[in-house]
Amino acid sequence: MSKSDEKVYRIQGLTCTDCAAAFEANVKRIPSVKSAKVNFGAAKITVKGVVSIKSIEKAGAFDNLQIRHENEQKVKQVTFWRQRTNLKVYFAVLFLIGSFLLRLQLGEEHILPVIGYALTIIIGGYSLFVKGIKNLIRMNFDMSTLMTVAIIGAAAIGEWGEGAIVVILFAISEALERYSMDKARQSIESLMDLSPKEAIIRRHGEELVVRAEEIQIGDTMIIKPGQKVAMDGVVVKGRSYINQATITGESIPVDKKENDVVFAGTVNQEGLLEVNVTKRVEDSTLAKIIHLVEEAQAEKAPSQQFVDRFAKYYTPAIILFALFLVMFPPLAFNAEWSEWIYRGLTVLVVGCPCALVISTPIAIVTAIGNAARNGVLIKGGIYLEEAGLMKVVAFDKTGTLTKGTPVVTDLIPFHKYQKSHLTIAAAIEKHSQHPLATAVVKKAEQNNLDVDDYCVEDFQTYTGRGVSARVQDDMYFIGSLAFFEEKLKMKLPNDMRKEISNLQKQGKTVIIFGSEKQVIFILAIADEVRSSVANVVIRLYELGIEKIVMLTGDNEQTAKSLGRKIGMSHIQAELLPEEKLNVIKELKISHGKVAMVGDGVNDAPALAASSVGIAMGGAGTDTALETADIALMSDDLNQLTYTIELSRKALRIIKQNILLSLTIKVIALILVIPGWLTLWLAIFADMGATLIVTLNSLRLLKLKKK
């Protein structure tokens, strides 16, 4: 589908799945519209074709829907109690109370209470009847149709009072449903307000206040202390602490200096920063998160698909059962028609599948929104459910269990070692592209040594083994034990070999620095393990994960040393990417649901083959945001255990909601047969079920990352 004539609009007032389907169908009927798709969870509609907002609003007039452009600021909403759609309820309630008092004074047969009840029905149920009658003409038997037939039927057999009560209870139910859906969507809508609409930009030496959408890539953005960052960019001047909780879920502010990345929507806490803008407002990390979460809320989870299939057959079955109750007893046993018509109408009311239909989507919308607020991006309801069902978690090592930044852990001096030798080694390694080289340079900087004091000449790389260079007319070599033995034909003494062996047993990589004649010092380098890893492994086992596996391309000795350190029992080392893929496939065969946790760039085949691919450090990594099923936006592995707990709680709540709504329906339908269930009790049971499943789902907002 071409994106050129496709536009996205936000919908205000969309609260039920039936209304969403009806609205989508109405928009599709507009002659200039080629296609339309409603995202109920995010309250958005994507329309392909040339169409005005006025035309779209007209298509949603049956439910008083308001439409605005996707990036247009939300109109400040009136307080829930003062909303126009609720005013009719207040008037209807007043008429109901007045009619009830008149009936007590004048008797049940008097015309005035009947008129009062009729006015209650008209005022409170006008919009319902318009929808219901239209649907009845189209033979579309949804909630509005069932309620319309039931209320008109009650009035027809003289049950004006009960018809009026049903209208009021239904209107209250709709209002509460609208309030709860708005509450569930707030977690994402609040993210949209985080990024400022304008920023201070320096252009041609002049500082200007510019609207966010007018800021261009390459502009210099000035961010003062206390201000929010308007655009993604790279710091070019200044240093400060930035609160990144909105993006990564990290509660502790992060130190930002030159060449560090900052994200739109984060808060500058201390210093003045100058930032080079690297992304337009619609391409920022925050914008991508909001877009992906809203798309995720539209993806139906397996449980929701089950409910939708069930509701497809459930509603016609209820209508047939109601017709059976109305027709069979009077025809077969000469029973009173009015009595069984009343019971049939009661079945229609209690049979409304409101609670059942909303039971799953509201839980998924709430859970995915809460996850985003805590720095976890879940790409769909299916992955939310899968995360709670996983039996095995497989971890990539580098960049996942470790920080991915090697550091020098040991320096063992030998022949006439001096600090200047470390400076020379760092000066040589500064010319190297090897990951271990940065650790040597960093070690020298930590010792306040200036690596630029020495001029490096004749630099040469020996791929996979080491480097050599000339400094002050002396040749120096840096590399592995094999490099020194093969290149220099040097025979290392036994004590030195023993030292190297001990360091390797600890899972460290050893590099040697020396001249053509002797070894000057040995460095041991290791990738730092994340501080949270050991606790996360323990917590995963406590959560009932059957197997935790480390998959790495490193040598077996290093892998086992790290595995023992963090308490991981299953370790597979020296694996190529395709071998990791095969391991994941084997684990799926033997254990079922398998999650793969990686950095979102490497191990793509393994991430794709797993039941759930989870990427670490998704903030700023486009690949992680695009390819992972779940992205942990910070480098905090505690987000993994939070995700599993959230998923399991969501699954429990969805099952509770489905069971509860079905149980209430079954009990109510049984009570219809002996005539114990009245119309107003039926709607009260339906409203109660809807309210309970809604409040139950909103409990997911309370779960926070520990």
Side-chain angles (χ1 to χ4, degrees):
M1 179 189 288
S2 171
K3 299 286 180 183
S4 58
D5 59 347
E6 191 175 274
K7 288 187 178 179
V8 179
Y9 303 91
R10 296 197 175 275
I11 312 163
Q12 207 163 309
L14 189 67
T15 56
C16 73
T17 52
D18 282 340
C19 303
F23 175 53
E24 183 181 294
N26 287 351
V27 174
K28 284 178 178 176
R29 290 190 193 103
I30 299 172
S32 59
V33 170
K34 297 174 186 175
S35 66
K37 180 68 178 174
V38 169
N39 179 336
F40 173 69
K44 290 164 65 174
I45 182 168
T46 304
V47 180
K48 187 178 181 185
V50 181
V51 63
S52 65
I53 285 181
K54 192 174 180 181
S55 298
I56 301 173
E57 278 195 337
K58 191 176 179 182
F62 69 90
D63 205 32
N64 297 313
L65 302 181
Q66 292 175 285
I67 310 298
R68 69 183 195 276
H69 289 290
E70 184 180 24
N71 298 318
E72 189 180 328
Q73 198 165 1
K74 185 178 180 181
V75 180
K76 192 173 181 183
Q77 216 168 353
V78 182
T79 311
F80 174 73
W81 303 106
R82 297 175 63 189
Q83 287 176 11
R84 192 176 67 178
T85 48
N86 292 337
L87 293 177
K88 65 179 184 181
V89 181
Y90 307 146
F91 284 114
V93 168
L94 289 174
F95 275 107
L96 179 66
I97 293 168
S99 302
F100 178 74
L101 293 174
L102 282 172
R103 194 183 73 169
L104 290 177
Q105 291 292 322
L106 304 173
E108 290 186 14
E109 303 301 323
H110 202 280
I111 190 66
L112 284 180
V114 173
I115 293 171
Y117 287 136
L119 287 171
T120 302
I121 291 171
I122 293 166
I123 294 168
Y126 174 75
S127 57
L128 167 69
F129 298 146
V130 171
K131 279 192 285 184
I133 291 167
K134 282 182 180 178
N135 288 343
L136 193 59
I137 293 167
R138 296 184 191 127
M139 298 300 287
N140 178 18
F141 295 100
D142 67 355
M143 177 182 64
S144 302
T145 317
L146 299 183
M147 293 302 299
T148 300
V149 171
I151 293 163
I152 293 173
I157 60 172
E159 298 290 344
W160 290 95
E162 291 213 21
I165 293 172
V166 168
V167 164
I168 296 296
L169 290 175
F170 182 74
I172 293 170
S173 174
E174 275 195 319
L176 291 171
E177 199 173 309
R178 190 166 57 251
Y179 174 78
S180 60
M181 278 307 301
D182 285 344
K183 188 81 174 170
R185 289 177 181 135
Q186 274 176 12
S187 54
I188 293 305
E189 289 188 359
S190 60
L191 283 178
M192 297 175 196
D193 300 327
L194 290 174
S195 188
K197 306 304 175 197
E198 56 186 26
I200 302 171
I201 297 295
R202 183 184 293 128
R203 285 180 184 164
H204 312 299
E206 187 181 355
E207 291 186 7
L208 309 165
V209 176
V210 179
R211 286 168 56 85
E213 55 266 28
E214 295 171 3
I215 298 172
Q216 302 296 320
I217 293 171
D219 281 341
T220 300
M221 184 167 53
I222 312 297
I223 309 165
K224 297 176 182 179
Q227 286 187 336
K228 288 180 180 178
V229 180
M231 314 284 282
D232 282 14
V234 176
V235 178
V236 292
K237 188 177 179 182
R239 187 166 186 169
S240 182
Y241 280 94
I242 298 279
N243 186 331
Q244 297 189 151
T246 53
I247 301 294
T248 65
E250 297 168 288
S251 56
I252 300 170
V254 180
D255 184 20
K256 296 287 183 178
K257 53 188 183 300
E258 284 185 30
N259 299 319
D260 285 343
V261 176
V262 294
F263 306 110
T266 58
V267 182
N268 180 21
Q269 296 200 321
E270 292 182 0
L272 182 72
L273 291 176
E274 292 188 16
V275 173
N276 181 45
V277 175
T278 57
K279 292 180 181 178
R280 288 184 57 79
V281 65
E282 64 268 19
D283 298 322
S284 71
T285 302
L286 179 62
K288 280 189 176 180
I289 290 169
I290 292 167
H291 173 73
L292 290 168
V293 169
E294 289 183 331
E295 291 302 306
Q297 290 176 334
E299 293 291 323
K300 291 187 177 180
S303 57
Q304 190 175 348
Q305 290 171 353
F306 160 75
V307 168
D308 288 347
R309 286 195 302 270
F310 181 83
K312 187 179 178 182
Y313 299 104
Y314 168 84
T315 305
I318 286 292
I319 293 169
L320 290 173
F321 180 56
L323 282 172
F324 173 80
L325 275 184
V326 169
M327 305 292 289
F328 184 73
L331 292 175
F333 305 107
N334 204 26
E336 189 68 38
W337 277 97
S338 60
E339 182 185 340
W340 287 97
I341 289 172
Y342 180 85
R343 292 186 192 184
L345 295 174
T346 308
V347 168
L348 289 181
V349 172
V350 81
C352 282
C354 312
L356 181 65
V357 170
I358 205 171
S359 62
T360 305
I362 195 169
I364 289 169
V365 168
T366 306
I368 290 176
N370 184 31
R373 295 287 298 174
N374 283 279
V376 178
L377 180 60
I378 302 173
K379 302 283 277 292
I382 185 169
Y383 305 117
L384 175 70
E385 290 196 10
E386 291 283 325
L389 300 170
M390 66 176 75
K391 303 293 183 183
V392 177
V393 180
F395 289 95
D396 172 42
K397 183 179 82 70
T398 307
T400 303
L401 296 174
T402 64
K403 293 180 179 178
T405 51
V407 293
V408 174
T409 58
D410 303 88
L411 190 155
I412 300 157
F414 285 99
H415 181 74
K416 296 180 182 179
Y417 167 76
Q418 296 175 7
K419 268 195 174 183
S420 60
H421 287 124
L422 177 59
T423 315
I424 292 168
I428 294 170
E429 289 285 41
K430 197 174 181 182
H431 290 73
S432 173
Q433 299 297 314
H434 196 280
L436 297 181
T438 57
V440 180
V441 175
K442 194 179 288 184
K443 178 70 174 175
E445 290 172 348
Q446 287 170 351
N447 284 274
N448 298 315
L449 303 175
D450 191 350
V451 297
D452 296 321
D453 285 349
Y454 293 93
C455 179
V456 176
E457 299 175 316
D458 302 331
F459 178 83
Q460 189 173 351
T461 300
Y462 302 88
T463 306
R465 293 182 292 168
V467 297
S468 66
R470 187 178 298 280
V471 179
Q472 293 181 338
D473 295 328
D474 291 322
M475 282 298 295
Y476 292 98
F477 300 85
I478 308 172
S480 64
L481 172 62
F483 175 59
F484 271 74
E485 289 182 334
E486 294 169 15
K487 174 69 180 170
L488 303 177
K489 309 297 181 187
M490 193 181 289
K491 182 71 175 174
L492 271 63
N494 288 333
D495 62 331
M496 198 178 291
R497 285 174 168 278
K498 188 176 180 182
E499 194 73 57
I500 291 170
S501 178
N502 287 336
L503 290 169
Q504 287 176 334
K505 285 177 182 175
Q506 294 171 37
K508 298 173 182 177
T509 301
V510 176
I511 61 172
I512 302 168
F513 175 80
S515 65
E516 292 177 286
K517 295 179 180 178
Q518 66 267 320
V519 172
I520 298 173
F521 65 82
I522 291 173
L523 287 177
I525 298 175
D527 194 355
E528 277 188 286
V529 179
R530 295 187 188 278
S531 57
S532 59
V533 168
N535 288 333
V536 167
V537 170
I538 292 168
R539 184 73 186 120
L540 286 172
Y541 281 124
E542 287 174 351
L543 287 169
I545 300 298
E546 295 172 2
K547 195 172 186 177
I548 304 173
V549 186
M550 182 171 74
L551 307 178
T552 178
D554 277 4
N555 67 75
E556 195 166 348
Q557 204 170 38
T558 303
K560 284 185 176 177
S561 172
L562 175 64
R564 284 193 294 269
K565 187 176 180 180
I566 61 177
M568 196 171 287
S569 56
H570 299 85
I571 300 154
Q572 298 206 35
E574 300 177 8
L575 298 174
L576 295 171
E578 57 266 29
E579 291 173 327
K580 289 185 181 182
L581 171 63
N582 292 331
V583 171
I584 293 294
K585 287 180 177 177
E586 288 167 9
L587 287 169
K588 284 178 77 174
I589 292 167
S590 58
H591 290 80
K593 304 291 183 182
V594 177
M596 174 71 190
V597 187
D599 61 8
V601 180
N602 301 321
D603 308 314
L607 284 165
S610 60
S611 307
V612 186
I614 302 173
M616 281 284 290
T621 310
D622 288 345
T623 311
L625 291 175
E626 289 163 12
T627 61
D629 301 322
I630 297 174
L632 311 181
M633 300 305 287
S634 75
D635 289 326
D636 183 7
L637 271 174
N638 286 308
Q639 287 183 331
L640 176 62
T641 54
Y642 156 79
T643 304
I644 295 171
E645 289 180 67
L646 177 70
S647 170
R648 290 184 177 178
K649 187 170 183 179
L651 281 170
R652 284 198 302 273
I653 283 174
I654 287 169
K655 288 175 183 175
Q656 289 167 6
N657 287 351
I658 292 171
L659 184 64
L660 185 72
S661 55
L662 286 176
T663 302
I664 289 173
K665 297 294 180 193
V666 169
I667 292 171
L669 288 170
I670 291 170
L671 293 176
V672 167
I673 308 296
W676 296 345
L677 194 71
T678 60
L679 269 175
W680 70 270
L681 272 178
I683 188 63
F684 191 76
D686 181 68
M687 183 182 79
T690 304
L691 188 59
I692 290 168
V693 300
T694 300
L695 293 175
N696 196 33
S697 298
L698 291 178
R699 288 196 298 128
L700 288 164
L701 288 173
K702 294 182 179 179
L703 187 67
K704 302 295 179 187
K705 188 185 72 174
K706 295 176 183 176

